[in-house]
Amino acid sequence: MKNRLKVLRAERDWTQADLADALEVSRQTVNAIETGKYDPSLPLAFKMARLFDKRIEEIFQDEEGN
């Protein structure tokens, strides 16, 4: 699954640690999501969407659907 997490984080000048704190996850989790090694749970995806004031589809893209 592709995502824009790194771009959205960079636009806000946040480190992975900053984002991890805001989402209450580890920095390693943020890194794994950004690099596509881990897909977030649905609750975590919704939390990211609220944090960035975006729809989930604006953050994550299903590669098979495109």
Side-chain angles (χ1 to χ4, degrees):
M1 182 181 331
K2 286 184 171 181
N3 71 74
R4 298 186 57 238
L5 198 58
K6 186 174 182 177
V7 172
L8 293 169
R9 178 176 59 78
E11 287 174 353
R12 287 153 181 83
D13 202 24
W14 292 348
T15 65
Q16 286 184 341
D18 293 334
L19 180 57
D21 286 346
L23 296 171
E24 299 177 321
V25 298
S26 69
R27 188 199 57 76
Q28 290 83 2
T29 297
V30 170
N31 182 62
I33 295 169
E34 283 186 358
T35 57
K37 295 179 182 168
Y38 172 75
D39 291 333
S41 66
L42 192 54
L44 182 55
F46 273 109
K47 197 170 189 177
M48 291 174 180
R50 283 191 300 272
L51 181 64
F52 290 113
D53 194 27
K54 303 278 186 196
R55 292 178 298 140
I56 289 177
E57 300 92 325
E58 294 177 290
I59 301 173
F60 297 95
Q61 290 183 320
D62 179 12
E63 294 175 279
E64 293 180 16
N66 294 326

